Amino acid sequence: MTDLRIAGIGMTSARTRDRLVQRLRDQGIVNPAVLERIRNVPRHIFVDEALGSRAYEDTALPIGFGQTISQPYIVARMTEALLDGGPLARVLEIGTGCGYQSAVLSPLVTTLFTIERIAPLMERARERLKELGMRNVRFRHGDGSVGWKAHGPFDGILVAAAPLSVPAAWLQQLKPGGRLIVPVGPEGEQQLVRFTQKDQRLEKQNLGPVAFVPLLGGTG
Ligand code: SAH
């Protein structure tokens, strides 16, 4: 891949990305670091070349294996909800997919740990992030519903696939003050929820309706 391909031309150019950022601002995204990441991450390299011209539309797109790249607004919203009070040290992401959310998040944290159950998706994500020079991301092929205990506890956990209910392991792997951002519920009825570990108790905040692929067990 050439530098020009990463920089983008025409429908993938800086101007097209600026329009997307303005749109997210209009929809209420305010964190400047998050908006800067959306501007800088070349979303077009995370989708098939044939879909490249649609990469800066605020919409989910197919990435193969029945999975989708998340809508930029949702990536921005989740990242903003996760960071809230500022940068975080150790963050766990569940559902790497094509790696777009990881690319947005990784420079905003010290170390990003990411788990994906479909091996070829994870391998492609690994290559793209390497190409973009992101060296603080650790990958794991496996079932993210058990978290990643060996590297926990985490300051934040961000989940990109919806469970019917929140696995206990995620809450157990949160540091005091840590935040879990997760879509919960069956298709058509999911809510984005933020859990915060506070003074030995769990604070729950509803962030509104969302549509994610389901969290599946085992590996693909
Ligand atoms: N974060 C991606 C979106 C990924 S879509 C982006 O930036 O666009 C959700 C991903 O979660 C899919 O790739 C799916 O394979 C994965 N997934 C579903 N259940 C999982 C599980 N139990 N463990 C790990 N990954 C899972």
Side-chain angles (χ1 to χ4, degrees):
M1 241 186 261
T2 62
D3 287 349
L4 187 61
R5 169 146 158 76
I6 291 177
I9 50 169
M11 286 308 284
T12 59
S13 68
R15 196 179 306 167
T16 313
R17 298 185 206 178
D18 283 344
R19 275 200 291 270
L20 172 63
V21 168
Q22 189 51 48
R23 205 182 145 156
L24 300 190
R25 237 189 233 120
D26 294 344
Q27 288 177 277
I29 304 296
V30 293
N31 185 320
V34 173
L35 290 166
E36 200 48 39
R37 291 307 300 146
I38 298 284
R39 178 179 285 112
N40 287 332
V41 176
R43 190 168 184 256
H44 61 279
I45 73 161
F46 291 87
V47 297
D48 271 359
E49 219 155 326
L51 290 171
S53 64
R54 302 192 53 200
Y56 300 95
E57 291 175 16
D58 188 21
T59 170
L61 294 168
I63 55 171
F65 305 91
Q67 306 302 322
T68 52
I69 181 171
S70 301
Q71 183 193 355
Y73 170 73
I74 287 296
V75 169
R77 178 104 175 85
M78 289 179 87
T79 310
E80 194 169 69
L82 179 78
L83 296 177
D84 208 16
L88 300 177
R90 301 168 79 78
V91 170
L92 175 65
E93 178 190 41
I94 293 157
T96 319
C98 62
Y100 176 66
Q101 167 80 70
S102 328
V104 168
L105 189 54
S106 79
L108 304 174
V109 306
T110 309
T111 312
L112 180 65
F113 299 88
T114 186
I115 308 179
E116 170 57 54
R117 64 182 289 280
I118 300 175
L121 281 181
M122 197 204 71
E123 287 310 328
R124 252 184 266 163
R126 192 203 297 274
E127 277 165 35
R128 288 181 180 120
L129 294 187
K130 194 170 153 202
E131 190 177 7
L132 294 175
M134 290 165 185
R135 304 199 192 291
N136 63 337
V137 186
R138 304 273 301 267
F139 294 86
R140 179 181 196 174
H141 173 226
D143 179 0
S145 46
V146 295
W148 197 345
K149 201 170 173 205
H151 289 292
F154 301 98
D155 299 284
I157 302 179
L158 188 152
V159 187
L164 294 176
S165 63
V166 177
W170 297 347
L171 298 169
Q172 285 157 7
Q173 290 172 29
L174 270 188
K175 278 188 198 168
R179 287 185 283 275
L180 165 65
I181 313 293
V182 56
V184 188
E187 226 183 303
E189 294 171 37
Q190 296 166 5
Q191 294 286 329
L192 189 63
V193 180
R194 173 163 64 186
F195 292 94
T196 309
Q197 237 1 313
K198 250 189 196 163
D199 309 322
Q200 314 281 358
R201 43 180 286 276
L202 210 56
E203 196 179 275
K204 184 180 171 188
Q205 224 179 326
N206 206 325
L207 304 178
V210 283
F212 276 82
V213 296
L215 185 85
L216 301 175
T219 52

